[in-house]
Amino acid sequence: MAVDLAAVRQALAAQRIETPSWAFGNSGTRFKVFAQPGVPRSPEEKIADAATVHRFTGVTPTVALHIPWDEVDDYRALADHAASLGVGIGAINTNVFQDDDYKLGSVTNPDPGIRRKATDHLLQAVGIMDATGSRDLKLWFADGINYPGQDDLRSRQDRLASALREAYGRLGEHQRILLEYKLFEPAFYATDIPDWGTSYAHCIELGERATVCIDTGHHAPGTNIEFIVAFLLRQKKLGAFDFNSRFYADDDLMAGAADPFQLFRIMNEIVRGGALDPAYGINFMLDQCHNIEMRIPAIIRSVLNIQEATAKALLVDRDALARAQAEGDVLEANAVLMDAYDTDVRPLLAEVRSDLGLDPDPVRAYLRSGYQEKIVADRVGGRQAGWGA
Amino acid sequence: MAVDLAAVRQALAAQRIETPSWAFGNSGTRFKVFAQPGVPRSPEEKIADAATVHRFTGVTPTVALHIPWDEVDDYRALADHAASLGVGIGAINTNVFQDDDYKLGSVTNPDPGIRRKATDHLLQAVGIMDATGSRDLKLWFADGINYPGQDDLRSRQDRLASALREAYGRLGEHQRILLEYKLFEPAFYATDIPDWGTSYAHCIELGERATVCIDTGHHAPGTNIEFIVAFLLRQKKLGAFDFNSRFYADDDLMAGAADPFQLFRIMNEIVRGGALDPAYGINFMLDQCHNIEMRIPAIIRSVLNIQEATAKALLVDRDALARAQAEGDVLEANAVLMDAYDTDVRPLLAEVRSDLGLDPDPVRAYLRSGYQEKIVADRVGGRQAGWGA
Amino acid sequence: MAVDLAAVRQALAAQRIETPSWAFGNSGTRFKVFAQPGVPRSPEEKIADAATVHRFTGVTPTVALHIPWDEVDDYRALADHAASLGVGIGAINTNVFQDDDYKLGSVTNPDPGIRRKATDHLLQAVGIMDATGSRDLKLWFADGINYPGQDDLRSRQDRLASALREAYGRLGEHQRILLEYKLFEPAFYATDIPDWGTSYAHCIELGERATVCIDTGHHAPGTNIEFIVAFLLRQKKLGAFDFNSRFYADDDLMAGAADPFQLFRIMNEIVRGGALDPAYGINFMLDQCHNIEMRIPAIIRSVLNIQEATAKALLVDRDALARAQAEGDVLEANAVLMDAYDTDVRPLLAEVRSDLGLDPDPVRAYLRSGYQEKIVADRVGGRQAGWGA
Amino acid sequence: MAVDLAAVRQALAAQRIETPSWAFGNSGTRFKVFAQPGVPRSPEEKIADAATVHRFTGVTPTVALHIPWDEVDDYRALADHAASLGVGIGAINTNVFQDDDYKLGSVTNPDPGIRRKATDHLLQAVGIMDATGSRDLKLWFADGINYPGQDDLRSRQDRLASALREAYGRLGEHQRILLEYKLFEPAFYATDIPDWGTSYAHCIELGERATVCIDTGHHAPGTNIEFIVAFLLRQKKLGAFDFNSRFYADDDLMAGAADPFQLFRIMNEIVRGGALDPAYGINFMLDQCHNIEMRIPAIIRSVLNIQEATAKALLVDRDALARAQAEGDVLEANAVLMDAYDTDVRPLLAEVRSDLGLDPDPVRAYLRSGYQEKIVADRVGGRQAGWGA
């Protein structure tokens, strides 16, 4: 294969994935949240878990916060705490969906007072970015309606645009907005940002520091996600990923668990678009729920899955691919791509890890490390972190 | 139209729909449960609300219970309480998904002790049926797995079959099992009874007192639900409905809200199959979540929507339809059906209600009645009913 | 209801729907095309059928052409022929998918010679617009790939953009591009314009005379089409509809046949956005396949279905709706909308037709007219029009 | 890995996959059939191509026929011809969808004369089985309706059951029915056998020689196919596969091309159920359309994809898997499965082929062999085989 293996190793060593503080806490479905022993009880403990994942994988040096779930008095101190554990603060995620006020929407609510409150929360989040040095304001709105007629779709867009403008105006020069979209849930008739096109159109109107965030679980059945990746890269409007996987809806399973070939195709477009390098600016985040499996090893496993998809994408013989494509040789072009996908890249990644001084098998290394037993023993009493907690 | 309007009115007056106790309590999504004022705090208060719905609609004389959400010391007393309010106890719904034990399944759990506990719960539910005079044991299993390999699909079927046999064996002569299926949620890779075919196959093996329950929100996109209705009627294995509606997944919106034409097509197969008459034995239940709208009027509205779909189905000119079908006149056959659907049946239903001594507009009558204000004032303190509460 | 019925009648009388020449010819699935007697054998005969539809409905005064299916030597003469029958030439549809050259794409083909040929076809179509007085260049590209790796997604976008720019540059001052999108078929892995967002982004780059065309059958399951309508109206980028209906994929059934409530919701956003008036500039086209039903009455029926959905949308009590929405009264707002939907508007439309001197029941009037018998008798010999013919 | 590699090699060498005669002919979408050079012009030439695939893969010793596409005067002679080329005749596929008579259905048609004709075709196919020694009568019905009301769903089931009974009664002792199902296409509202449950219920009523055939492209989005496999194996009612792959609907792409992980999960249930061995009796067929790629190498590639999925399934460490499942170790159980999936099995399969005296890379061996050039040169004139030809 005409691939520069040293460059592949270097790219893999330089890859960066961000972990989400909330994935370390309890989560579940509307039917039940199963609590796990050892779950963090504070933002500090969540950051400690994130730092642990970084210690074993070597590629997750930042952790995203969720406000108000990670609310603290002193954000600078929290950032310092993170730094002392070897990680930095990543994206600041806003939450305008868990107050009773937000039953009919946040920034799109028909009530101007509630819109004001929600927009103020966005501005407050930028303040936290200032304090923590975070670059990214990640905006996901649960806003939408459950019944036709419940509210006016177009007016809600106007209200949304207004709040976005205000938040955008508050950004510092090196800060930016990551605007997420989602097909449905918790709204069941119409969601105010249901697809990448809606997010894109708002980002275009906001300006160049507004970019689209792709959550891999937020699409209609049959949606070709890697097409969206390729298209947004072409438009210079892809800012971030929320990685997870799904068989049905927003299942939030471990990245790569449901459709590893899709994850490979996504990373293939990233590599093809020259967007893997951290300098390009895409924030590759995880956003998952580990409802029944142990959380820290599940997050490690997800990181490994993304690394494996990336390694395969880096192994694609680009020259051979371009040649077959130019010749219209459908089978050969597909075969070149599949040749990379069918490769077992685990030995290659084991080498990369060894070169970085890491254990080649991060999951087993974690399980052997005693960390899990320690947190189960230590984290007794207090209130476990969790969705809404 | 060659339709016997007197017979239509009679059929509408005789129609029966069952309300679910849990729909009167709080519900929500995994993101948030919005509490409402006036929500019942006990099984007795839920039954009072169900009786109120019956008072205004005249067609909802039974209320389904959910165990353990509606657990009481004395079920006979609960049934008496219901009777004193003018309603009876309908299906007994089991719940084997909210204990920590059930994280990896209930009757399909790899752990035999947990399977025993879950099966015992099913047997206990039959005891409640004995005490309350309920005919129907409704079984919905949240069982499933989130990741390929997590458990063995086939062994889980064996375990499921074993528990079902035991529950079936416990049934009295006039009792029966309603076996529900669901595509996904809360399990995200494989659900142990994912479709009507699986439920049907188990029911066949159990015997004639086991029948399929169709929840209208539990199908893959594109599934033709009325085909399943027609097919199960032909096989004499349709036992019940859980009515609700959805645009996406198991959205649990008000019946008829998302796709009124689909609801009409379903009721059309019921009428065509001669299965509307309560004597036929189908339990037409609601199973919905009113996350953001007022619950009692939402349930009344759902009942009205089913009534309207039924009225339209009854208005189909069966002779003209059969003639056009026999002639292969595609457009005319479709037109005959649509002619009934396009009819505004609200005046007809208003008449039926007046004949029954009811207000012709049950929603407005309820809103005028003062009941809502009263429960908001009275039901203060205590613990609101809700999913898991 | 606080609705100005005279204004409603006027709006309905002024509504305009465009018929597609190809819907009068044979069509089918990949499995079989069932020929029908009386099918047109020339563009002139298709136009005669379209004129017949207009004669009975009064609201379809233009007919869209498809090139090369409607290729003639003298387009001005064709337009005169149409005018003599009482109809005008509508959108010019290009076809760059039925030559052997286009196996791997047209304007996105890796082969520059084939791209040139396809682009020239677009330019030729503008020439036909000049000759016929058509305003609209409708572009649908079957372009896409069947296998991952088959071609480079991003390069194909560059090629697409280039061809679109060239076609746009050729437009006259009063001409415009309608850019269609489609999720899949005939391409089965990636389509080059798969969703409204992609079409929108290209239209933005082209300029104000490029607008999006929504084909109601071209979306992923669960897509909220009326949201797209509302959003594109807000962005001033909605140019046209291709109406049809579907239960599964691009089924191309009669408009309103599969989900009449959805059609109502779409027309409701049109009315709410003030876009029903022909002066607004949206081209409301049909694009359907009548594989098994008689074509002319099927097209008439589709027109009636759109009229009925429009009438219901016009009957929505906007003041009451806005009030309930502002108050956050979910049930009441939904009820206001449904009140209009549940109304039987056929008598109202019968009146509108009578006022226009038309038969109140266009389908039956057509069937009585003898036209069908005449074309069956006359159109013998020659080659029936059909997809690809 | 505690896997017996010799047994794996043996199982792979013994695996059998059936090729379909029609996949060697032209196919396409409703938009266009792209002809290819070298396409067979007769059943004999199709069989020659099938024999060629077997020559290079070593695992495809039978070819399925499609009647009337493969109609000949002397079927015994055709079978002898096949035998002389080293292959046997596999399943006989009936075609009751391409005559004009079948516009509104075949065995479900409201017209009894058309039903008779269609049923006679099924009986005729059994005669061909007698003549060719074929064991399997494969039944796929395109039957369905496009519009609600068009025909009576339940009456169509009665007609279907009647025709099936007649065909079943005509079977010889060692013959059987494979009953296929399909969600939609070419019918767009209701299909008469839309899902496995419907096929299963009919097979139960027919008897033990009627079994279900799973076409991997015939399901609703989100359907868990391997669950159906596991379930039907448990019920002893799985008779055959039609392998292909899809991203959207019945795309008929090469098996394993769209979702290789799904194909692995399917083969994993086959291995787990002990059903891989040809003696078990499952007919593993391909059923694909190679619309734009070269057909023979595409079919070879599909065979390889199934072999690779099978090899991975055979490599699953069943003991470790069972242990992790019994312990409820979600991550470990999933990891055991994924460990097999992530393995590059191409070297193992290359060995198996070498042991069988085959070239380790069948696609390249075919391309080098000169066969393709020869058929392109020889097969000139005559009428290319194709759907409907």
Side-chain angles (χ1 to χ4, degrees), chain C residues 68-83:
Chain C
W69 298 346
D70 294 322
E71 209 158 39
V72 292
D73 289 334
D74 185 341
Y75 287 98
R76 211 163 304 240
L78 190 69
D80 290 347
H81 168 74

Side-chain angles (χ1 to χ4, degrees), chain A residues 3-228:
Chain A
V3 165
D4 178 347
L5 275 177
V8 168
R9 273 199 203 86
Q10 198 174 347
L12 289 170
Q15 185 174 17
R16 291 294 171 260
I17 298 166
E18 185 161 309
T19 56
S21 70
W22 56 96
F24 297 99
N26 289 323
S27 64
T29 68
R30 59 174 170 149
F31 296 102
K32 171 75 176 170
V33 173
F34 293 103
Q36 292 191 8
V39 155
R41 297 158 302 171
S42 67
E44 288 77 9
E45 289 183 353
K46 292 185 219 170
I47 289 172
D49 287 356
T52 301
V53 171
H54 183 48
R55 193 148 50 87
F56 286 96
T57 63
V59 296
T60 59
T62 54
V63 53
L65 300 186
H66 211 283
I67 307 300
W69 298 346
D70 294 320
E71 209 158 41
V72 292
D73 288 335
D74 185 341
Y75 287 98
R76 212 164 302 243
L78 190 69
D80 289 347
H81 167 75
S84 77
L85 296 173
V87 292
I89 301 299
I92 302 301
N93 290 257
T94 55
N95 175 329
V96 283
F97 56 87
Q98 290 198 323
D99 282 6
D100 285 331
D101 277 344
Y102 298 141
K103 186 163 80 165
L104 303 181
S106 65
V107 295
T108 66
N109 199 299
D111 180 331
I114 296 173
R115 294 204 296 273
R116 185 66 258 153
K117 171 180 163 176
T119 309
D120 284 343
H121 177 75
L122 308 187
L123 303 179
Q124 175 209 359
V126 184
I128 296 172
M129 293 165 69
D130 294 340
T132 56
S134 166
R135 176 191 54 176
D136 293 339
L137 177 66
K138 182 140 76 76
L139 301 179
W140 173 62
F141 298 102
D143 290 54
I145 60 180
N146 276 5
Y147 290 101
Q150 177 188 325
D151 199 3
D152 186 67
L153 295 176
R154 186 156 163 186
S155 303
R156 291 175 76 92
Q157 289 298 317
D158 294 336
R159 299 171 198 148
L160 170 64
S162 168
L164 290 174
R165 266 195 309 273
E166 197 171 336
Y168 189 83
R170 169 69 180 78
L171 292 178
E173 205 175 331
H174 301 295
Q175 293 171 337
R176 60 178 186 167
I177 280 178
L178 307 176
L179 188 56
E180 199 168 339
Y181 59 91
K182 184 174 186 181
L183 179 67
F184 79 100
E185 197 214 17
F188 293 128
Y189 161 57
T191 296
D192 291 305
I193 311 182
D195 54 18
W196 77 264
T198 307
S199 174
Y200 173 79
H202 281 289
C203 286
I204 288 285
E205 286 172 12
L206 289 173
E208 66 178 13
R209 276 171 297 141
T211 57
V212 179
C213 173
I214 297 177
D215 184 304
T216 52
H218 287 189
H219 302 87
T223 302
N224 184 323
I225 300 176
E226 60 269 26
F227 176 89
I228 301 173

Side-chain angles (χ1 to χ4, degrees), chain B residues 12-190:
Chain B
L12 290 170
Q15 184 174 19
R16 291 294 170 260
I17 298 166
E18 185 161 309
T19 57
S21 71
W22 56 95
F24 297 98
N26 288 323
S27 64
T29 68
R30 60 175 169 148
F31 296 102
K32 171 75 175 172
V33 173
F34 293 103
Q36 292 191 8
V39 155
R41 297 157 302 170
S42 66
E44 289 78 7
E45 289 183 353
K46 291 186 220 170
I47 290 173
D49 287 357
T52 302
V53 170
H54 182 48
R55 193 150 48 90
F56 286 97
T57 64
V59 296
T60 61
T62 54
V63 53
L65 300 186
H66 212 283
I67 308 299
W69 298 346
D70 294 321
E71 209 158 41
V72 292
D73 289 333
D74 185 341
Y75 287 98
R76 214 164 301 244
L78 191 68
D80 290 346
H81 167 74
S84 77
L85 296 173
V87 291
I89 301 299
I92 303 301
N93 290 258
T94 54
N95 175 327
V96 283
F97 56 88
Q98 290 198 322
D99 281 7
D100 285 331
D101 277 343
Y102 297 141
K103 186 162 80 165
L104 303 181
S106 64
V107 295
T108 66
N109 200 298
D111 181 331
I114 296 173
R115 294 204 296 274
R116 185 66 258 152
K117 170 180 165 178
T119 309
D120 284 343
H121 177 75
L122 308 188
L123 303 179
Q124 176 209 359
V126 184
I128 296 173
M129 294 165 69
D130 293 340
T132 56
S134 167
R135 176 190 55 177
D136 293 338
L137 177 65
K138 183 138 75 75
L139 302 179
W140 173 62
F141 298 102
D143 291 54
I145 59 180
N146 276 5
Y147 291 101
Q150 178 189 325
D151 198 3
D152 186 66
L153 295 177
R154 187 156 162 187
S155 303
R156 291 175 76 91
Q157 288 299 316
D158 295 336
R159 298 171 199 149
L160 169 64
S162 168
L164 289 175
R165 266 195 309 273
E166 199 172 337
Y168 190 82
R170 169 70 180 78
L171 290 179
E173 204 176 330
H174 300 295
Q175 293 172 337
R176 58 179 188 168
I177 279 178
L178 308 175
L179 188 56
E180 198 167 339
Y181 58 91
K182 184 175 185 181
L183 180 67
F184 79 99
E185 197 212 20
F188 293 129
Y189 161 57

Side-chain angles (χ1 to χ4, degrees), chain B residues 122-332:
Chain B
L122 308 188
L123 303 179
Q124 176 209 359
V126 184
I128 296 173
M129 294 165 69
D130 293 340
T132 56
S134 167
R135 176 190 55 177
D136 293 338
L137 177 65
K138 183 138 75 75
L139 302 179
W140 173 62
F141 298 102
D143 291 54
I145 59 180
N146 276 5
Y147 291 101
Q150 178 189 325
D151 198 3
D152 186 66
L153 295 177
R154 187 156 162 187
S155 303
R156 291 175 76 91
Q157 288 299 316
D158 295 336
R159 298 171 199 149
L160 169 64
S162 168
L164 289 175
R165 266 195 309 273
E166 199 172 337
Y168 190 82
R170 169 70 180 78
L171 290 179
E173 204 176 330
H174 300 295
Q175 293 172 337
R176 58 179 188 168
I177 279 178
L178 308 175
L179 188 56
E180 198 167 339
Y181 58 91
K182 184 175 185 181
L183 180 67
F184 79 99
E185 197 212 20
F188 293 129
Y189 161 57
T191 296
D192 291 305
I193 311 182
D195 52 20
W196 76 265
T198 307
S199 174
Y200 173 79
H202 281 289
C203 286
I204 289 285
E205 287 171 11
L206 288 173
E208 65 177 14
R209 277 171 297 142
T211 57
V212 179
C213 174
I214 298 177
D215 183 305
T216 52
H218 287 191
H219 302 86
T223 302
N224 183 325
I225 298 176
E226 60 270 26
F227 176 89
I228 301 173
V229 172
F231 194 86
L232 287 175
L233 286 177
R234 184 178 183 273
Q235 308 299 110
K236 304 197 191 317
K237 276 294 179 194
L238 179 56
F241 281 93
D242 271 359
F243 282 112
N244 51 61
S245 75
R246 61 94 170 256
F247 289 94
Y248 303 96
D250 188 29
D251 305 344
D252 277 331
L253 302 177
M254 299 189 295
D259 189 346
F261 184 42
Q262 182 186 62
L263 183 55
F264 161 73
R265 298 192 312 263
I266 289 171
M267 295 314 299
N268 180 52
E269 292 302 328
I270 289 293
V271 169
R272 185 268 180 240
L276 181 64
D277 190 325
Y280 186 97
I282 291 180
N283 190 343
F284 297 91
M285 294 176 277
L286 292 177
D287 182 10
Q288 312 182 145
C289 291
H290 308 292
N291 298 343
I292 60 168
E293 67 272 23
M294 280 175 65
R295 297 203 167 93
I296 294 175
I299 291 168
I300 295 176
R301 176 72 203 221
S302 306
V303 170
L304 306 193
N305 286 349
I306 295 173
Q307 287 183 296
E308 290 173 24
T310 307
K312 291 177 179 198
L314 289 164
L315 289 179
V316 172
D317 185 335
R318 302 275 153 199
D319 291 341
L321 184 64
R323 208 159 41 236
Q325 289 174 343
E327 290 168 0
D329 188 340
V330 176
L331 288 171
E332 178 62 18

Side-chain angles (χ1 to χ4, degrees), chain D residues 230-251:
Chain D
F231 194 85
L232 287 176
L233 286 177
R234 183 177 184 274
Q235 308 298 109
K236 305 198 191 316
K237 276 293 181 195
L238 179 55
F241 280 94
D242 272 359
F243 281 113
N244 51 61
S245 76
R246 61 94 171 254
F247 288 95
Y248 303 96
D250 188 28
D251 305 344

